[in-house]
Amino acid sequence: VTSAASLGALITPEARLGGVIYAASASRNPDAKATSNAKAVDRDGVISCAKLCIASQVPRMVLVSSGGVSKPTSAVYIFLNVAAGGIMDAKISGENGMRSLYAAAGLTERGVGYTVVRPGGLTKDEPRGVSASYCCTVL
């Protein structure tokens, strides 16, 4: 996802995709930091993917983000941002860049849109079921 050319080989008008789910995120693996950093994956990759989805008229792009991006003053946001090389700033920047692209005039009429899913943190606790989870949808 850090290569627009690589994404472009997959997301094309000829592929006639019904949707694209973007669930990539930066790696904390030291060997991957050069290519899999937060800005490259969580910001630039999201924006490149959105541009391709719009150009290829993919009906729906789904971005799996993070529940914490809407709380920039929270301890979790600040900790993750410091510990993971600016990941939270990159995630919200990617979301905002995608939103801006989809706000262009005429896209609604072309039948393209996006959804942002913001899951919370994972736990080792017993599953609580669907009634205990939530996400937000943006049209």
Side-chain angles (χ1 to χ4, degrees):
V1 297
T2 59
S3 164
S6 177
L7 283 172
L10 300 171
I11 304 171
T12 66
E14 297 76 32
R16 303 173 76 84
L17 301 172
V20 169
I21 299 172
Y22 192 100
S25 191
S27 173
R28 292 186 62 198
N29 182 330
D31 295 337
K33 284 194 178 197
T35 57
S36 182
N37 62 71
K39 288 178 183 170
V41 177
D42 295 278
R43 183 191 67 195
D44 300 343
V46 169
I47 293 168
S48 292
C49 187
K51 287 177 181 176
L52 288 165
C53 286
I54 291 167
S56 299
Q57 295 197 51
V58 176
R60 179 68 50 187
M61 179 178 166
V62 177
L63 172 62
V64 181
S65 186
S66 172
V69 300
S70 63
K71 301 170 185 136
T73 59
S74 73
V76 172
Y77 184 107
I78 294 166
F79 172 76
L80 288 173
N81 217 33
V82 171
I87 195 165
M88 299 304 277
D89 289 344
K91 282 184 179 295
I92 195 64
S93 183
E95 280 189 30
N96 289 338
M98 180 184 69
R99 274 190 205 90
S100 177
L101 291 168
Y102 278 95
L107 287 186
T108 304
E109 294 79 19
R110 287 177 44 196
V112 298
Y114 69 95
T115 300
V116 175
V117 179
R118 289 182 175 167
L122 301 175
T123 69
K124 293 182 182 181
D125 298 338
E126 290 294 317
R128 295 180 290 173
V130 175
S131 63
S133 62
Y134 64 91
C135 70
C136 91
T137 300
V138 180
L139 298 176

